[in-house]
Amino acid sequence: MSRLAYINARLIDPASGLDQPGGVLSEDETIIDVGAGLFADGAPADIPTIDCGGHCLMPGLVDMRVQLREPGEEHKGTLESECRAATVGGITSIVCLPNTDPVIDDMSVLEFVARRARKLGLAKVYPYGAVTKGLKGEELAEMGMLAEAGALAFTDAVKPIGDARIMQRALSYATTFGLMIIQHAENPSLARGGVMNAGETATRLGLPGIPRQAEVIMVERDLHLVRMTGGRLHFGHLSTALAVDAVRRAKAEGLAVTCDTAPPYFALNETSIGDYRTFAKLSPPLRLEEDRQAIVEGLKDGTIDAIASDHAPQDEESKRLPFGDAAFGGVGLETLLAITLELYHNGHMSLIEALKPVTAAPAGLLGLEAGRLEVGAPADMILIDPGRAWKIVADKMQSISKNSPFDGRPVQGQVLRTVIDGRTVYDHAH
Amino acid sequence: MSAFMNAVTPDQIRFPHRHLLGIEGLSPDVISLLLDRAESYVEQNRQADKKRSLLRGRTIINLFFEDSTRTRTSFELAGKRLGGDVINMAVASSSVKKGETLIDTAMTLNAMHPDVLVVRHSSAGAVKLLSEKVNCAVINAGDGSHEHPTQALLDALTIRRRRGRIAGLEVAICGDIAHSRVARSNIHLLNVMGARVRLIAPKTLIPSGIEQMGVEVYHGMNEGLKDCDIVMMLRLQTERMQGGFFPSVREYFHFFGLDYKKLAHAKDDALIMHPGPMNRGVEIASEVADDIGRSAIREQVEMGLAVRMACLDLLSANLSGGRREPA
């Protein structure tokens, strides 16, 4: 049994609201003591210690929307490269979308990904299962078997479940296993052919647009299906004021519905596309400034439960194309924390409030034993300096793909150390 | 110092950009510079001896990723009239990954040290992307639904010659605005030169937010054409005629095709323009198109050649080793 004392820390635990000087004691992979004032007089001499230097010790981030490219597209990212990128970004738990090749629509693929990731000993990887076979939106995948194999929830990843009857059945069937369906809320026919937000900028650039209404139409349809089925529904990466409003009303009504957003949607708007910058080509597309502000409001009032990186690695060949032909998506593992902290630095939320959507909130939604500092929890922790300034440089990222929409952005908030199961897997100083 | 003492001849005025990628962002002075230079070529082209040696030793490559006869021929002739070596490259538009072809082709061509690349591509922004990968000057000959600057310039030259000015004119642009690069370039140019622009089309062919580009939008020809000086018709792409944007060609022509009855709402001497090729009986009635007194459609083709000569002239003058490079 090996014990390790983390002393001289500012403990931040968004789950309990704790923000106090204190320490943590871990034994092997578990936290066995944590609290304000712990080791205030220094650690006992017989235990190895890590001096946190007064920096924030908090639970590792839980990222509930990540695309991994292994198996299938290892040239864009391997489990190892992306799990390492996660540790640099302070993420200790990744929940990955099933759009690998082969698709995670059966147990063997799910188990392959989970097993490979476990062997790496880096960020923990929990897969979602597909809702439909091959993500084709036609027949239900073996959701029960996937659940038994460890799927945390079901989603067709970057594809909306467009067929209302399939969605109705998926919501109904998933209740059997107590798991939720995660929807990419976008009406397929309105979005067809679109490459950026519809409106003046798209018109000026001569690019086909995706109207903002494509999102809320899907949200509203699915809310009716939740009323009909009693299913449990979660919307991924919401991007519009209209959709946030719809979810806000649904929550007030008491529906079992939650949602998340991603850093681009509260930190950027469609002007980032500028003169056809393909790194800003995301799905859903970057929207208007008023939408960005509505996403911030949704985070502040709790309508939006979680923030996920929406990590989507794309290689140069799929981005160095005319805008219309380029792939959607941006990498996000290494920028999730710093961009989320903008909510705190810009005065929208307290430090604790800003960190909850990337820790306790997503862990709670998915029933993950993660995202909190408490006795008995796994020792998945990060040490951060929320004020330390740095500049995002895509070329220096650990991800194999460098398609960050935030390249060149000055940010604040540095991960100093990442601890997973009691082992330091990333140390900024080394 | 002495250069500043002497009067500047028109020959010494420079085009202040490396490429011509669009009209958006060009100042009225620069547009006038291009039009004035083009004007001089109109006269030259009407002489028996048309050829000049301005571009001797220069290589111009026409790189067309999208089919075109008129624009390509116009650029080819423009280059040859100025004594340049012109090469046409048609890149199969059917190739699966157009984008890869784009960058690869750009790199390959760049290694051959051309002086000017004239590029047309079906994707908006593609010509700009290509311009970032090459060392030569690039002229956008049309990129997706984005811009087609030389078309807007030739339209402006036509208008200016016929009306003596652009400022203050009422110009109606009619038809498939949503998918038209010609419309976008013309909106930018006409606005910056002081004309007033109206758009006339069914709502399905008007892209969202276009009012913010400084235009008035009409959904009926009669009110839209009322008292206007210039009627610019756009070509309706055949692939838009399948019922997705409007029910039928018959219905479209009934409401939006230009015939004498609708034209009667415009000023008596309103000028009719069309970028070609025309769909007779779809967006324009034959007798209107062929009306010698009203239609400037054939003149537009002539102005196109002059404008493209002016563009090649002014852009190549900026290249290093150019004849007007300061000593």
Side-chain angles (χ1 to χ4, degrees):
Chain A
M1 279 194 300
S2 86
R3 291 185 165 198
L4 197 51
Y6 298 81
I7 65 166
N8 189 24
R10 174 181 168 192
L11 294 180
I12 302 268
D13 182 33
S16 62
L18 174 75
D19 182 354
Q20 293 273 323
V24 168
L25 180 64
S26 71
E27 185 174 274
D28 299 329
E29 66 270 21
T30 311
I31 294 173
I32 59 167
D33 201 357
V34 55
L38 184 65
F39 307 129
D41 309 320
D46 54 338
I47 303 177
T49 60
I50 290 172
D51 188 336
C52 297
H55 294 304
C56 296
L57 187 63
M58 60 173 283
L61 309 189
V62 178
D63 187 349
M64 70 180 295
R65 191 177 181 90
V66 175
Q67 295 184 51
L68 294 176
R69 300 302 188 204
E70 183 178 343
E73 291 185 289
E74 286 82 355
H75 62 288
K76 294 185 176 180
T78 62
L79 275 165
E80 184 172 2
S81 69
E82 305 317 283
C83 287
R84 195 169 297 285
T87 64
V88 173
I91 296 162
T92 54
S93 299
I94 284 176
V95 194
C96 71
L97 300 185
N99 59 336
T100 44
D101 181 16
V103 168
I104 306 181
D105 62 358
D106 86 17
M107 297 149 56
S108 60
V109 186
L110 188 140
E111 281 165 358
F112 167 82
V113 171
R115 189 174 61 244
R116 286 266 299 132
R118 243 188 339 268
K119 274 172 80 178
L120 292 170
L122 295 164
K124 297 171 180 175
V125 174
Y126 304 92
Y128 290 122
V131 175
T132 65
K133 286 178 188 154
L135 308 177
K136 290 198 176 95
E138 291 159 7
E139 300 167 66
L140 295 182
E142 291 174 324
M143 294 164 75
M145 309 276 260
L146 286 163
E148 216 169 64
L152 290 189
F154 304 101
T155 177
D156 271 359
V158 298
K159 291 190 181 169
I161 300 158
D163 185 301
R165 185 177 296 236
I166 292 285
M167 188 57 163
Q168 177 209 339
R169 290 190 178 146
L171 282 164
S172 296
Y173 192 68
T175 57
T176 318
F177 313 100
L179 296 182
M180 63 185 185
I181 304 288
I182 298 178
Q183 172 72 302
H184 166 66
E186 188 171 66
N187 178 286
S189 58
L190 273 179
R192 193 189 307 137
V195 298
M196 67 170 291
N197 185 46
E200 189 206 349
T201 309
T203 292
R204 207 172 267 279
L205 293 172
L207 293 171
I210 300 172
R212 296 142 82 216
Q213 288 76 6
E215 186 169 86
V216 72
I217 287 171
M218 190 59 108
V219 166
E220 294 282 14
R221 183 203 77 175
D222 286 352
L223 290 174
H224 281 292
L225 294 175
V226 170
R227 289 185 191 102
M228 192 171 160
T229 58
R232 171 77 182 83
L233 176 62
H234 178 92
F235 296 110
H237 54 197
L238 288 187
S239 64
T240 63
L242 289 166
V244 174
D245 274 349
V247 172
R248 185 178 289 124
R249 277 184 270 113
K251 283 187 165 184
E253 179 191 330
L255 285 187
V257 58
T258 50
C259 66
D260 67 73
T261 190
Y265 306 112
F266 60 82
L268 301 175
N269 61 33
E270 63 172 15
T271 60
S272 292
I273 289 168
D275 231 354
Y276 305 100
R277 243 182 106 230
T278 58
F279 281 16
K281 181 176 177 181
L282 306 177
S283 170
L286 292 172
R287 306 286 187 180
L288 301 179
E289 174 59 13
E290 65 195 69
D291 291 303
R292 187 194 71 78
Q293 288 174 12
I295 298 294
V296 172
E297 283 309 309
L299 285 164
K300 281 168 75 172
D301 72 11
T303 301
I304 300 175
D305 304 85
I307 299 170
S309 72
D310 210 7
H311 184 71
Q314 300 291 1
D315 57 356
E316 271 203 16
E317 280 63 43
S318 27
K319 282 290 191 182
R320 275 180 50 187
L321 291 175
F323 195 90
D325 304 331
F328 287 99
V331 292
L333 294 170
E334 291 163 76
T335 50
L336 173 63
L337 178 71
I339 305 293
T340 297
L341 283 173
E342 289 184 1
L343 294 164
Y344 160 63
H345 292 298
N346 293 340
H348 295 302
M349 298 165 91
S350 72
L351 185 59
I352 289 263
E353 285 166 351
L355 292 172
K356 195 169 180 184
V358 283
T359 53
L365 291 177
L366 297 165
L368 268 183
E369 200 193 335
R372 26 177 85 225
L373 286 184
E374 65 180 11
V375 173
D380 296 346
M381 302 179 292
I382 56 175
L383 185 65
I384 69 165
D385 179 348
R388 187 176 299 183
W390 59 287
K391 190 168 155 182
I392 296 171
V393 179
D395 282 344
K396 291 190 180 160
M397 286 183 172
Q398 294 293 315
S399 291
I400 289 178
S401 295
K402 315 292 183 193
N403 55 306
S404 170
F406 295 111
D407 191 21
R409 189 180 182 96
V411 288
Q412 277 178 280
Q414 177 68 58
V415 177
L416 302 175
R417 179 187 289 268
T418 302
V419 176
I420 292 176
D421 283 338
R423 289 175 302 109
T424 292
V425 292
Y426 170 69
D427 184 347
H428 182 65
H430 297 106
Chain B
M1 241 353 243
S2 62
F4 291 97
M5 306 298 284
N6 301 327
V8 179
T9 66
D11 252 21
Q12 290 167 314
I13 304 173
R14 284 171 166 274
F15 183 72
H17 307 280
R18 184 171 159 213
H19 308 299
L20 178 63
L21 300 177
I23 298 292
E24 190 175 16
L26 294 188
S27 70
D29 286 351
V30 169
I31 291 168
S32 296
L33 169 68
L34 284 161
L35 297 180
D36 293 346
R37 186 63 56 94
E39 191 86 52
S40 69
Y41 285 120
V42 174
E43 298 316 315
Q44 186 196 312
N45 285 333
R46 288 178 177 176
Q47 312 291 315
D49 183 14
K50 301 175 180 66
K51 190 136 174 166
R52 283 235 211 151
S53 55
L54 205 60
L55 298 187
R56 186 189 295 151
R58 297 285 193 202
T59 307
I60 298 149
I61 302 184
N62 275 336
L63 180 58
F64 279 62
F65 292 88
E66 203 183 61
D67 291 340
S68 156
T69 311
R70 301 165 152 255
T71 307
R72 202 210 61 220
T73 309
S74 184
F75 270 110
E76 182 178 354
L77 198 51
K80 287 181 171 165
R81 287 261 167 97
L82 293 173
D85 298 317
V86 185
I87 294 161
N88 287 318
M89 279 195 63
V91 184
S93 50
S94 59
S95 49
V96 190
K97 284 199 161 182
K98 286 181 196 168
E100 273 188 4
T101 317
L102 175 70
I103 299 264
D104 291 348
T105 313
M107 300 296 209
T108 308
L109 293 180
N110 193 47
M112 300 175 190
H113 303 289
D115 298 292
V116 184
L117 274 179
V118 177
V119 187
R120 169 169 289 189
H121 197 280
S122 59
S123 288
V127 180
K128 176 176 189 293
L129 178 66
L130 185 142
S131 75
E132 289 161 2
K133 311 286 173 200
V134 296
N135 302 320
C136 59
V138 174
I139 297 177
N140 182 2
D143 63 325
S145 306
H146 179 226
E147 283 232 42
H148 189 355
T150 56
Q151 178 70 43
L153 289 164
L154 75 88
D155 288 341
L157 184 62
T158 308
I159 294 170
R160 205 176 74 167
R161 284 171 59 92
R162 285 285 193 112
R163 289 286 179 273
R165 65 192 166 103
I166 295 169
L169 295 178
E170 292 281 346
V171 183
I173 306 178
C174 318
D176 185 1
I177 313 289
H179 305 95
S180 175
R181 52 193 174 218
V182 175
R184 283 171 180 75
S185 287
N186 264 310
I187 291 168
H188 291 305
L189 187 146
L190 293 166
N191 269 325
V192 82
M193 298 306 282
R196 289 164 54 96
V197 182
R198 317 167 181 184
L199 306 180
I200 313 172
K203 205 157 187 178
T204 46
L205 293 178
I206 296 279
S208 66
I210 195 131
E211 302 81 6
Q212 284 149 288
M213 287 172 71
V215 295
E216 265 184 274
V217 177
Y218 293 87
H219 302 303
M221 287 290 269
N222 294 353
E223 44 167 349
L225 290 179
K226 194 169 179 335
D227 296 328
C228 74
D229 300 284
I230 312 285
V231 184
M232 275 187 186
M233 301 307 295
L234 296 174
R235 176 180 162 76
L236 201 61
Q237 305 284 329
T238 8
E239 59 267 29
R240 318 281 179 224
M241 297 184 198
Q242 320 288 325
F245 292 87
F246 50 88
S248 68
V249 168
R250 185 172 74 161
E251 180 158 328
Y252 185 84
F253 184 74
H254 179 69
F255 289 102
F256 295 97
L258 187 67
D259 53 21
Y260 278 121
K261 204 168 154 223
K262 300 188 189 90
L263 186 59
H265 293 85
K267 282 189 183 157
D268 291 342
D269 63 345
L271 198 63
I272 298 155
M273 303 176 69
H274 191 296
M278 288 181 280
N279 297 301
R280 292 165 180 268
V282 178
E283 70 254 357
I284 190 161
S286 270
E287 67 263 30
V288 177
D290 299 333
D291 186 332
I292 306 271
R294 307 288 300 271
S295 164
I297 296 171
R298 262 169 267 173
E299 196 175 325
Q300 284 174 275
V301 178
E302 187 188 356
M303 294 310 121
L305 180 57
V307 155
R308 284 162 188 135
M309 288 170 80
C311 293
L312 290 172
D313 171 359
L314 286 164
L315 282 176
S316 58
N318 285 347
L319 298 169
S320 61
R323 68 202 155 79
R324 294 191 206 115
E325 200 68 14

